Each structure stands twice: as C-alpha cells, then as structure tokens.
Amino acid sequence: MSFFDNLFGQWGSDMAIDLGTANTLVAIPGEGIVLNEPSVVAMDNNTNRVLAVGYEAREMIGRNPGSITVQRPLADGVIADYDVTMAMLSYFINKAAPRRRFYQPKPRIAICIPCGVTSVEKRAVFEATLEAGARQVFLIEEPMAAAIGAGLPVDEPTGSMVVDIGGGTTEIAVISLGGIVTYRSLRIAGNELDEAVARHVRDVYNLSIGSRTAEDIKIAIGSALPIPTGELDMEISGRDLTTSLPRVDIVQSEDIREGIRNPLSQIVVAIKEAFLETDPDLAADIIRNGILLTGGGGLLKMLDVLLTRELEVPVYVSETAFSNVVEGCARALENPEALRRSYTQK
C-alpha cells in the first residue's frame, strides 16, 4: 500500500448487497460475506425513531408493545416503505464496513433486484441505496447474480436455467451469452410458504402460531415429498383457538407438506411456462445441463426431487444456495465487463 493510501485510505471501496424480503446479506470483494441479518426494523411510534435493526428487531416480533412497530420494509422483493428501507440499508452498510476515517470515500454498491420490477421500483432501490451511503449504485437482476455466484457459464453460448426462491419472490430465468433470454418473476416464495404453514396448523391443529414459528416449522420438518429417512415431527407452542389459552402440540411433517402443496404447485407451473417461451436449442442445453435451484427457499427438503419429477429435467440444489446472489454481485464488482453486462438501467 502506498503512502497516499495509508494517508487517505484506499480510494473507494466495493460492497455487494442481497436486499431480500426476509434477509439481507452483504459481501465485500476479497473478504466474502460480512453480514447476514433479517430485513426487519423496529420503530418507536411516538418519535418515529429506529430502535433496532436485523436480529435485534426480529426478536421483538410478536412481543412488541403498542408504542413499537416491528416491520419488514420490503414486500414481494420490492420496497414497501422507502424511509425505513433507507434507514435499514444505512445501518447494514455502516455495520458491514464502518468508515473509520472521515475522509474515507463512500462505497460503490452492487445491489440485486427481482426481474419483474417496474421502473419506479428500480428507481426506489437505486435512490434508497444512494441515500443510505453509496457513492455509486449498480442494479443487478437476481437470477443473473445467482448464476454468476454459482459459477454457471453465463458468458458462453449455452442455455442455463436458474430458479431462485427467496423470501418474497421466485425468480426463474434462462441465461445465455451474458444476458437473460426469458424469465418469470413469481411473487410466491418463502414467506408464502410460511403463511401456508400457519394456515394449515390453524385448520388442522386448531392452533394459532406466529410467523417466526411457522418459518421454524418449515425449516425443521417441511418437505416437498415424503422424506426417505422417515417422517419428522416437532413440538410447537401457540394459542388454542377454542379456549384462547396457550397450548403445546406436536405437528407432523405430512401435515406441513399438505399445507405447502398449493404454493409449490404454482412455482412448478411458472417454471413450465418459462420453458414454453424458451428457444428449443436453449431448452436442449437446459435438459442436458440441468436446472440450478438456489435461494433460501430452494433448501426446502426434497424440493429438487419434486421439481425433477414434475419437469422431467435434472434439478440440483446449489451448495451455496443461500449466498449465491450476494456472491454473484461481489464477483460482478471485481469484473468491469461482467458488471457492464449485468447492470440494469434504473
């Protein structure tokens, strides 16, 4: 490092952000993922002041008094509350890479967006990131970032299909020669599965549970098909809908699987529709190479087996499914040509 680098800090810094409905991940090129926290903010209703962000705010869900609002400022992959999203982004940026010197410049940031967003929604993400502390902002579509992060041959003249199931959206895209050829953006994903679990527990067990408990159930015993090693069960607590008193019960994986059947079938239909719009030569590439399943929702047990059976195409889960998007954004920042191709106009 030169004398001037020591004196003034390195000119500029890069940061990649996967701004998700459920979780936000931040990566710094050369360092990897430096932050992974829930996209949750707690606000004081009297002063309109941010009280907590991330894990600390998530712990308040379902336990907050009337004077505190705990919210997810993103819905279906897009900004629902601009000011709260900006405050959350500012917190994450400063926590991930605090500016230890007053003269250290703001970072360049690559941030992902769903494929199907409008120009207004793109602009909102761009402006919120800029106001949160970015020097320069690059918007990259989630399926492209996921494909880059997973190491798919996105630049080659061959078709690759990515199914990215996040918290708010399921992104389905066919990629070739550095661009997205066709896509589907479905606003049914992890959060919808959580809601389906909560509804089914209410209907079958007569028990009301919160969103956090529903998510825990989905992760622990949820599956798309029967589990070969044996079905699972889980003890949960909730409110009895008959007596309105607290009750503990045991839920079975078979029941949870039945509860999430409908949203999973809609995802299957969306993937089939994407295939209908795909050129036959690209479709042949996909049949030969398989489909990449990524995102936190892609980790649902037996989902890859279900999709393989329904689509009659090999489907495999990325080994780094949860982090592919943010790692793809980080890699794009390290490669100016990849960043130019991946960048989408606001």
Side-chain angles (χ1 to χ4, degrees):
M1 185 177 290
S2 70
F3 168 79
F4 291 103
D5 284 333
N6 280 317
L7 182 62
F8 296 109
Q10 296 184 48
W11 176 250
S13 56
D14 290 341
M15 185 179 295
I17 300 179
D18 177 3
L19 183 63
T21 304
N23 294 279
T24 294
L25 285 77
V26 179
I28 295 177
E31 296 184 26
I33 297 173
V34 296
L35 182 143
N36 176 8
E37 296 206 26
S39 303
V40 184
V41 180
M43 302 284 294
D44 186 318
N45 294 331
N46 298 321
T47 62
N48 203 33
R49 182 171 62 90
V50 175
L51 297 178
V53 180
Y55 282 115
E56 188 179 350
R58 186 178 185 269
E59 290 300 316
M60 299 181 184
I61 295 177
R63 301 181 176 92
N64 52 300
S67 60
I68 297 175
T69 298
V70 183
Q71 60 179 301
R72 296 184 183 273
L74 292 105
D76 299 329
V78 297
I79 293 177
D81 190 311
Y82 181 88
D83 292 332
V84 177
T85 300
M86 186 184 68
M88 182 181 73
L89 273 171
S90 179
Y91 172 86
F92 287 149
I93 290 170
N94 290 325
K95 184 174 182 179
R99 296 171 69 199
R100 289 176 288 274
R101 307 179 183 90
F102 71 90
Y103 42 75
Q104 187 173 353
K106 297 178 180 180
R108 293 192 317 159
I109 293 180
I111 189 165
C112 66
I113 56 171
C115 280
V117 297
T118 65
S119 58
V120 173
E121 291 167 337
K122 285 183 182 180
R123 186 75 189 184
V125 175
F126 180 89
E127 294 291 347
T129 309
L130 205 60
E131 290 191 47
R135 181 176 88 252
Q136 192 175 9
V137 180
F138 301 93
L139 305 179
I140 301 179
E141 292 173 319
E142 288 178 11
M144 178 60 76
I148 295 172
L152 294 183
V154 296
D155 295 327
E156 297 179 11
T158 184
S160 300
M161 178 176 268
V162 176
V163 178
D164 177 21
I165 305 177
T169 62
T170 294
E171 302 288 308
I172 305 156
V174 175
I175 298 169
S176 180
L177 291 172
I180 294 177
V181 180
T182 186
Y183 74 89
R184 277 283 187 277
S185 185
L186 186 67
R187 297 196 174 184
I188 294 175
N191 289 349
E192 180 67 25
L193 294 178
D194 296 342
E195 293 172 8
V197 169
R199 286 194 300 268
H200 202 69
V201 168
R202 181 192 63 209
D203 295 341
V204 174
Y205 295 89
N206 203 36
L207 195 66
S208 176
I209 60 173
S211 58
R212 285 188 57 189
T213 301
E215 183 181 15
D216 291 341
I217 293 171
K218 178 191 70 178
I219 293 171
I221 66 172
S223 68
L225 290 173
I227 303 170
T229 55
E231 298 295 352
L232 305 172
D233 57 47
M234 179 179 177
E235 182 178 277
I236 64 168
S237 302
R239 179 169 56 84
D240 190 299
L241 292 174
T242 302
T243 65
S244 295
L245 297 175
R247 176 163 63 87
V248 176
D249 210 331
I250 304 293
V251 294
Q252 307 294 328
S253 56
E254 299 97 320
D255 291 327
I256 302 306
R257 186 162 55 251
E258 179 62 30
I260 62 177
R261 185 187 304 276
N262 183 57
L264 289 182
S265 66
Q266 294 182 63
I267 292 174
V268 171
V269 169
I271 299 173
K272 290 180 178 179
E273 290 175 348
F275 257 119
L276 289 175
E277 297 180 0
T278 302
D279 183 273
D281 289 335
L282 289 176
D285 292 338
I286 295 167
I287 292 170
R288 182 173 57 254
N289 299 329
I291 297 172
L292 176 73
L293 183 59
T294 186
L299 298 174
L300 180 72
K301 297 177 184 66
M302 302 297 291
L303 180 56
D304 56 333
V305 180
L306 171 68
L307 294 179
T308 297
R309 188 179 71 181
E310 293 291 328
L311 302 171
E312 298 182 357
V313 176
V315 177
Y316 60 97
V317 183
S318 170
E319 294 180 358
T320 53
F322 196 75
S323 59
N324 280 342
V325 170
V326 72
E327 289 175 351
C329 286
R331 290 181 188 178
L333 280 168
E334 294 177 306
N335 186 333
E337 182 62 23
L339 188 62
R340 182 190 63 78
R341 290 195 306 269
S342 303
Y343 174 69
T344 179
Q345 295 292 329
K346 59 184 180 294

